[in-house]
Amino acid sequence: MSKIGFIGLGIMGRPMAGHLLDAGHELTTVKRGALDATLASKGVRELENPKAVAEASDIVITIVPDTPDVEEVLFGEGGVVEGLKPGTLVIDMSSIAPIATQKFAERIHAAGGEYVDAPVSGGEGGAINAALTIMVGATPEGFERAKPVLEVMGKTITHIGGHGAGQTCKVANQIVVALTIEAVAEGLLFASKAGADVAKVRESLLGGLAQSKILDVHGERMIKRTFDPGFRIRLHQKDLNLALEGARSLNLALPGTANAQQLFQACAAQGGGDWDHAGILRALESLASHEVGQK
């Protein structure tokens, strides 16, 4: 079993860390307020800073909100790189910029470590059920070292390519997810405004070509109006910003992505940055002056 440093015990990180503990790994983390009681009971040790976590670990896993957060954890004062031992495996499971990821990999390798970018998809449910899809950018050797640990947390682990390729795949994933959530919201809004029973519409659509996990999970959220976050709108906004910035650098038009980003922005303007991303429905409802399920 490995000594693992796990930095980022949020909605996704908590259950992911729990699975590693259940598999027998020894975990340390950075002290940030009150430690989750379940993780504490399983023996997670809290240390002063990322440097101390790295010194105590053979593998360091990070899953934090954005590119600057990863940079701070890895290279800021008291960062991981200061405590890195030769051969330490650093696995970043955050969703961040692919080009920055390549630069981070170069710096970790120069310090004697091995870097893997391994962003995830599957939301809170996937994290809880150890059923995440994990998209990996790494050297072949790095992937083989990381794979046994990733298999504890995920169900589908794919080596996409070299450093940054995992993050590129995650950006593509977030484009597809955003546009599909928008499509589900528009379909249910149309059905509701036309007077149909949206629950029965969703049930029917789940049996046809429109079937998707998003129609299943997020469609139900929309109908039940349960917008507590599994994945926050503000984080999806960040991911779509990465997509649009990348598109500009590639001289590429992504009109659907831009439209979804504007709808997320409309939600944020209503104080909904921390709504689940299924809350994109609320922006569309505002435009229609109609709430799904109204008669």
Side-chain angles (χ1 to χ4, degrees):
M1 295 294 102
S2 299
K3 294 181 179 180
I4 298 176
F6 199 106
I7 301 173
L9 298 175
I11 288 175
M12 301 289 288
R14 282 193 300 272
M16 292 164 69
H19 295 311
L20 293 170
L21 288 162
D22 292 341
H25 296 290
E26 179 182 323
L27 258 66
T28 56
T29 191
V30 177
K31 185 172 180 59
R32 290 281 191 275
L35 180 64
D36 177 80
T38 300
L39 295 180
S41 70
K42 292 181 179 181
V44 173
R45 289 192 302 126
E46 294 180 289
L47 300 176
E48 181 182 357
N49 54 32
K51 174 186 176 181
V53 169
E55 290 172 338
S57 305
D58 304 314
I59 300 170
V60 177
I61 295 173
T62 56
I63 180 164
V64 294
D66 205 348
T67 307
D69 303 301
V70 176
E71 185 170 21
E72 178 64 24
V73 166
L74 295 181
F75 307 112
E77 184 178 353
V80 166
V81 75
E82 294 181 14
L84 205 65
K85 302 190 296 289
T88 299
L89 181 63
V90 177
I91 306 173
D92 179 42
M93 305 188 77
S94 318
S95 296
I96 66 170
I99 292 175
T101 292
Q102 293 170 355
K103 294 178 181 177
F104 295 166
E106 291 173 1
R107 294 174 70 179
I108 291 295
H109 282 201
E114 179 76 44
Y115 191 90
V116 171
D117 52 287
V120 302
S121 180
E124 183 181 11
I128 290 170
N129 295 314
L132 293 167
T133 292
I134 305 177
M135 313 156 209
V136 184
T139 64
E141 297 78 14
F143 176 68
E144 289 305 317
R145 286 186 62 193
K147 189 176 180 183
V149 173
L150 299 179
E151 286 176 334
V152 175
M153 300 176 282
K155 185 176 181 180
T156 302
I157 295 97
T158 306
H159 185 196
I160 305 298
H163 297 118
Q167 296 294 353
T168 295
C169 184
K170 179 59 188 286
V171 171
N173 178 85
Q174 295 303 81
I175 292 170
V176 173
V177 170
L179 270 63
T180 307
I181 291 175
E182 181 188 351
V184 169
E186 289 191 12
L188 294 181
L189 182 60
F190 170 80
S192 178
K193 183 73 171 180
D197 183 325
V198 288
K200 290 182 178 178
V201 168
R202 171 178 165 274
E203 180 183 352
S204 179
L205 294 179
L206 284 170
L209 191 59
Q211 191 279 333
S212 70
K213 186 172 182 179
I214 287 172
L215 176 62
D216 184 11
V217 175
H218 292 81
E220 183 177 35
R221 283 176 181 259
M222 292 173 190
I223 292 168
K224 292 184 176 179
R225 312 197 68 73
T226 53
F227 298 120
D228 291 337
F231 188 73
R232 290 178 170 85
I233 280 175
R234 60 181 172 83
L235 294 179
H236 211 146
Q237 283 185 286
K238 176 261 297 181
D239 292 339
L240 294 191
N241 280 336
L242 294 176
L244 294 169
E245 289 166 6
R248 281 192 291 273
S249 70
L250 294 168
N251 197 27
L252 176 68
L254 298 177
T257 303
N259 187 58
Q261 181 70 304
Q262 287 298 302
L263 291 170
F264 281 142
Q265 184 59 41
C267 292
Q270 297 176 45
D274 285 324
W275 296 343
D276 183 82
H277 51 177
I280 199 171
L281 173 69
R282 288 181 166 180
L284 294 166
E285 288 175 333
S286 294
L287 293 172
S289 296
H290 178 86
E291 186 176 292
V292 165
Q294 283 182 340
K295 298 296 184 183

